[in-house]
mmCIF file of all heavy atoms in Angstrom:
data_model
loop_
_atom_site.group_PDB
_atom_site.id
_atom_site.type_symbol
_atom_site.label_atom_id
_atom_site.label_comp_id
_atom_site.label_asym_id
_atom_site.label_seq_id
_atom_site.Cartn_x
_atom_site.Cartn_y
_atom_site.Cartn_z
ATOM 1 N N LYS A 309 100.292 96.636 124.403
ATOM 2 C CA LYS A 309 101.178 95.890 125.345
ATOM 3 C C LYS A 309 102.565 95.762 124.796
ATOM 4 O O LYS A 309 103.496 95.376 125.430
ATOM 5 C CB LYS A 309 100.583 94.494 125.561
ATOM 6 C CG LYS A 309 99.344 94.515 126.364
ATOM 7 C CD LYS A 309 98.867 93.087 126.569
ATOM 8 C CE LYS A 309 97.359 93.019 126.942
ATOM 9 N NZ LYS A 309 96.733 91.754 126.556
ATOM 10 N N ASP A 310 102.713 95.982 123.425
ATOM 11 C CA ASP A 310 103.999 95.688 122.774
ATOM 12 C C ASP A 310 104.676 96.955 122.279
ATOM 13 O O ASP A 310 104.639 97.286 121.103
ATOM 14 C CB ASP A 310 103.729 94.714 121.636
ATOM 15 C CG ASP A 310 105.021 94.021 121.199
ATOM 16 O OD1 ASP A 310 106.103 94.465 121.578
ATOM 17 O OD2 ASP A 310 104.923 93.057 120.439
ATOM 18 N N LYS A 311 105.329 97.642 123.214
ATOM 19 C CA LYS A 311 105.897 98.971 122.907
ATOM 20 C C LYS A 311 106.967 98.816 121.827
ATOM 21 O O LYS A 311 107.024 99.630 120.876
ATOM 22 C CB LYS A 311 106.498 99.556 124.161
ATOM 23 C CG LYS A 311 107.076 100.925 124.002
ATOM 24 C CD LYS A 311 107.586 101.531 125.322
ATOM 25 C CE LYS A 311 108.245 102.871 125.064
ATOM 26 N NZ LYS A 311 109.388 102.819 124.130
ATOM 27 N N SER A 312 107.848 97.758 121.909
ATOM 28 C CA SER A 312 108.989 97.709 121.010
ATOM 29 C C SER A 312 108.476 97.393 119.579
ATOM 30 O O SER A 312 109.091 97.813 118.593
ATOM 31 C CB SER A 312 109.950 96.664 121.469
ATOM 32 O OG SER A 312 109.329 95.410 121.455
ATOM 33 N N TYR A 313 107.371 96.716 119.445
ATOM 34 C CA TYR A 313 106.831 96.426 118.114
ATOM 35 C C TYR A 313 106.459 97.735 117.381
ATOM 36 O O TYR A 313 106.860 97.995 116.258
ATOM 37 C CB TYR A 313 105.599 95.510 118.191
ATOM 38 C CG TYR A 313 104.902 95.315 116.865
ATOM 39 C CD1 TYR A 313 105.476 94.538 115.881
ATOM 40 C CD2 TYR A 313 103.657 95.939 116.637
ATOM 41 C CE1 TYR A 313 104.834 94.377 114.632
ATOM 42 C CE2 TYR A 313 103.036 95.758 115.396
ATOM 43 C CZ TYR A 313 103.626 95.006 114.443
ATOM 44 O OH TYR A 313 102.990 94.842 113.195
ATOM 45 N N ILE A 314 105.735 98.620 118.065
ATOM 46 C CA ILE A 314 105.361 99.895 117.481
ATOM 47 C C ILE A 314 106.587 100.763 117.228
ATOM 48 O O ILE A 314 106.700 101.392 116.179
ATOM 49 C CB ILE A 314 104.332 100.656 118.382
ATOM 50 C CG1 ILE A 314 103.037 99.843 118.473
ATOM 51 C CG2 ILE A 314 104.032 102.051 117.846
ATOM 52 C CD1 ILE A 314 102.266 99.670 117.145
ATOM 53 N N ASP A 315 107.529 100.749 118.191
ATOM 54 C CA ASP A 315 108.785 101.530 117.971
ATOM 55 C C ASP A 315 109.426 101.090 116.662
ATOM 56 O O ASP A 315 109.913 101.917 115.914
ATOM 57 C CB ASP A 315 109.725 101.259 119.143
ATOM 58 C CG ASP A 315 109.314 101.979 120.405
ATOM 59 O OD1 ASP A 315 108.461 102.889 120.310
ATOM 60 O OD2 ASP A 315 109.779 101.645 121.485
ATOM 61 N N ASN A 316 109.467 99.784 116.502
ATOM 62 C CA ASN A 316 110.146 99.261 115.316
ATOM 63 C C ASN A 316 109.416 99.653 113.985
ATOM 64 O O ASN A 316 110.018 100.007 112.989
ATOM 65 C CB ASN A 316 110.245 97.752 115.427
ATOM 66 C CG ASN A 316 111.171 97.159 114.373
ATOM 67 O OD1 ASN A 316 112.240 97.715 114.146
ATOM 68 N ND2 ASN A 316 110.747 96.093 113.768
ATOM 69 N N VAL A 317 108.074 99.563 114.062
ATOM 70 C CA VAL A 317 107.273 99.946 112.847
ATOM 71 C C VAL A 317 107.542 101.445 112.538
ATOM 72 O O VAL A 317 107.810 101.781 111.376
ATOM 73 C CB VAL A 317 105.753 99.766 113.137
ATOM 74 C CG1 VAL A 317 104.956 100.409 112.035
ATOM 75 C CG2 VAL A 317 105.417 98.299 113.239
ATOM 76 N N ILE A 318 107.563 102.241 113.588
ATOM 77 C CA ILE A 318 107.790 103.706 113.381
ATOM 78 C C ILE A 318 109.161 103.943 112.722
ATOM 79 O O ILE A 318 109.287 104.704 111.766
ATOM 80 C CB ILE A 318 107.662 104.485 114.718
ATOM 81 C CG1 ILE A 318 106.192 104.483 115.155
ATOM 82 C CG2 ILE A 318 108.217 105.887 114.602
ATOM 83 C CD1 ILE A 318 105.905 105.129 116.475
ATOM 84 N N LYS A 319 110.151 103.210 113.186
ATOM 85 C CA LYS A 319 111.527 103.452 112.705
ATOM 86 C C LYS A 319 111.707 102.935 111.243
ATOM 87 O O LYS A 319 112.072 103.670 110.341
ATOM 88 C CB LYS A 319 112.518 102.790 113.631
ATOM 89 C CG LYS A 319 113.918 103.029 113.230
ATOM 90 C CD LYS A 319 114.874 102.539 114.351
ATOM 91 C CE LYS A 319 116.314 102.669 113.902
ATOM 92 N NZ LYS A 319 116.687 101.827 112.786
ATOM 93 N N THR A 320 111.319 101.692 111.020
ATOM 94 C CA THR A 320 111.640 101.096 109.735
ATOM 95 C C THR A 320 110.805 101.742 108.580
ATOM 96 O O THR A 320 111.290 101.987 107.511
ATOM 97 C CB THR A 320 111.403 99.579 109.682
ATOM 98 O OG1 THR A 320 110.115 99.310 110.161
ATOM 99 C CG2 THR A 320 112.446 98.883 110.535
ATOM 100 N N ASN A 321 109.569 102.032 108.909
ATOM 101 C CA ASN A 321 108.726 102.647 107.866
ATOM 102 C C ASN A 321 109.149 104.066 107.597
ATOM 103 O O ASN A 321 108.996 104.586 106.442
ATOM 104 C CB ASN A 321 107.232 102.567 108.229
ATOM 105 C CG ASN A 321 106.693 101.172 107.904
ATOM 106 O OD1 ASN A 321 106.851 100.691 106.815
ATOM 107 N ND2 ASN A 321 106.071 100.536 108.858
ATOM 108 N N ALA A 322 109.641 104.770 108.599
ATOM 109 C CA ALA A 322 110.141 106.120 108.380
ATOM 110 C C ALA A 322 111.264 106.129 107.338
ATOM 111 O O ALA A 322 111.343 107.003 106.481
ATOM 112 C CB ALA A 322 110.602 106.744 109.677
ATOM 113 N N GLU A 323 112.087 105.119 107.406
ATOM 114 C CA GLU A 323 113.218 105.019 106.449
ATOM 115 C C GLU A 323 112.716 104.847 105.030
ATOM 116 O O GLU A 323 113.255 105.501 104.081
ATOM 117 C CB GLU A 323 114.123 103.845 106.871
ATOM 118 C CG GLU A 323 114.912 104.116 108.128
ATOM 119 C CD GLU A 323 115.520 102.838 108.734
ATOM 120 O OE1 GLU A 323 115.325 101.746 108.152
ATOM 121 O OE2 GLU A 323 116.174 102.955 109.760
#
Side-chain angles (χ1 to χ4, degrees):
K309 292 181 199 155
D310 198 346
K311 183 176 175 302
S312 63
Y313 172 72
I314 296 296
D315 286 343
N316 192 44
V317 169
I318 289 177
K319 183 172 177 292
T320 52
N321 281 307
E323 287 165 1

